């Protein structure tokens, strides 16, 4: 990934709700003011680069997933039955503040669109502006957005916004690295997502430059090893799938997992002799890590050659940032990796009202 060199700060997108919401119409003087500190000249790592706003990446379309309800649940588990007692105890309701988003490590930002939804759900009067967009690469110390309005509302939303953004940015950062290395193959995630966060995790993969695998059990027939074992073999399983789809008049993608070259041959023999709905063949665990750290992809290459472009192919198993390039060179169409979502490292981001002090502390701890 090629990071941009930041220059001067300029907002590329602004969310300006018109309603007044929870803070009401406070006195003009009711704004949180901090002690003045000497300002250092902004470095390149502390400023955002002016650039035209790209089109936002929309979330995947899901027939039943309610993103607003997920946000509400996250806010509710934080608020409990009393609300933010720390804010209630220390901050008058009419005090306003401005807080700044700061990247504390290099990576791909994701979750900006979701953050706007959260702020709006907490308090529609909050105003948010961004100096970067979802999918942009940011450097440690970069100030990439601001939120202004009721101080209590900002602090109530802060942790929920950051939890989503940090996870999504971690996923997007890893996806970007793997997608770049995998070319010409496309990188996919799997269903190994955090419970309740399926759409959010898959949205982050799209922002990072990957593509989505099936969203759930409903949008693709995917015959895996357990289905094949119960059905009595790969031919029986595929026969049942074709019969089911015809009976139900369904036209959806069909993928079958294969684990051996023999299974690939059996599946291809079936497709040669029958009208079939098969669209993709998964080649599972056909790459073997070697003791010297190298990767044996000969079996995967043989499978790709057997299929010879008749169907899409998907490599799965032993996919890491270190192996994905060699796997992508075998000619597979897709490479799927559960690690994109099931073991993601969050990208460190903060939201600070006292930006100068936050940057001083960050520099002291090598996090800005």
């Amino acid at each position: 990934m090629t990071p941009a060199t930041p220059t001067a700060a300029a907002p590329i997108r602004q969310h300006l709700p018109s309603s007044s919401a929870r803070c009401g119409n406070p006195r003009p003087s009711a704004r949180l003011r901090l002690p003045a500190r000497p300002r250092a000249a902004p470095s390149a790592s502390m400023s955002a680069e002016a650039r035209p706003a790209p089109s936002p990446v929309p979330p995947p379309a899901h027939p039943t997933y309610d993103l607003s309800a997920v946000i509400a649940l996250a806010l509710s588990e934080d608020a409990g039955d009393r609300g933010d007692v720390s804010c209630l105890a220390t901050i008058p309701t009419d005090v306003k503040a401005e807080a700044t988003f700061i990247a504390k490590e290099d990576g791909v930002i994701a979750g900006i669109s979701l953050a706007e939804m959260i702020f709006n759900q907490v308090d529609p009067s909050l105003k948010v502006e961004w100096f970067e967009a979802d999918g942009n690469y940011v450097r440690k110390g970069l100030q990439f957005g601001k939120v202004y309005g009721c101080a209590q509302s900002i602090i109530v939303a802060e942790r929920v916004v950051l939890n989503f953004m940090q996870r999504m940015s971690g996923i997007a950062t890893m996806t970007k690295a793997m997608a770049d290395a995998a070319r010409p193959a496309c990188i996919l995630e799997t269903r190994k997502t955090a419970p309740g966060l399926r759409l959010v995790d898959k949205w982050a993969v799209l922002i990072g430059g990957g593509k989505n695998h099936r969203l759930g059990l409903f949008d693709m027939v995917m015959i895996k090893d357990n289905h094949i074992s119960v059905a009595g073999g790969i031919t029986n399983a595929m026969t049942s799938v074709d019969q089911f789809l015809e009976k139900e008049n369904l036209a959806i993608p069909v993928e079958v997992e294969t684990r051996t070259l023999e299974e690939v041959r059996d599946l291809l023999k079936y497709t040669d002799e029958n009208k079939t709905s098969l669209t993709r063949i998964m080649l599972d665990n056909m790459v073997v890590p070697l003791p010297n750290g190298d990767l044996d992809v000969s079996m995967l290459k043989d499978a790709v050659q057997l299929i010879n472009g008749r169907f899409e192919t998907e490599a799965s198993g032993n996919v890491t940032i270190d192996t994905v390039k060699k796997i992508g060179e075998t000619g597979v169409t897709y490479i799927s990796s559960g690690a994109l979502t099931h073991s993601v490292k969050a990208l460190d981001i903060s939201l600070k009202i006292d930006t100068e002090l936050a940057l001083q502390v960050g520099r002291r701890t090598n996090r800005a």
Side-chain angles (χ1 to χ4, degrees), residues 304-366:
V304 170
Q305 289 171 4
L306 280 173
I307 297 165
N308 195 27
R310 283 181 280 177
F311 302 97
E312 296 174 346
T313 53
E314 177 187 332
S316 179
N318 290 311
V319 178
T320 68
I321 190 61
D322 298 317
T323 64
V324 70
K325 183 177 189 299
K326 193 164 186 177
I327 295 171
E329 291 169 348
T330 63
V332 292
T333 317
Y334 299 103
I335 303 171
S336 57
S337 171
L340 290 180
T341 56
H342 73 54
S343 54
V344 64
K345 177 186 178 296
L347 190 75
D348 200 0
I349 299 167
S350 64
L351 178 62
K352 296 297 183 184
I353 291 172
D354 191 340
T355 307
E356 290 300 316
L357 178 58
L359 287 170
Q360 286 178 28
V361 174
R363 286 189 288 268
R364 186 177 72 219
T365 57
N366 197 30

Side-chain angles (χ1 to χ4, degrees), residues 17-29:
S18 58
S19 57
S20 58
R22 292 164 180 75
C23 269
N25 187 20
R27 303 183 302 275
S29 60

Side-chain angles (χ1 to χ4, degrees), residues 1-80:
M1 61 185 86
T2 305
T5 303
T7 53
I12 63 172
R13 186 161 46 145
Q14 195 164 10
H15 175 65
L16 298 171
S18 58
S19 57
S20 58
R22 292 164 180 75
C23 269
N25 187 20
R27 303 183 302 275
S29 60
R31 181 174 179 183
L32 185 62
R33 298 187 181 277
L34 300 165
R37 287 189 177 84
R39 289 183 174 269
S43 65
S45 65
M46 291 171 57
S47 305
E49 180 188 10
R51 63 184 64 154
S55 300
V57 177
H62 192 289
T64 61
Y65 196 96
D66 187 344
L67 194 51
S68 293
V70 171
I71 293 170
L73 179 62
L75 292 168
S76 176
E77 70 181 4
D78 226 11

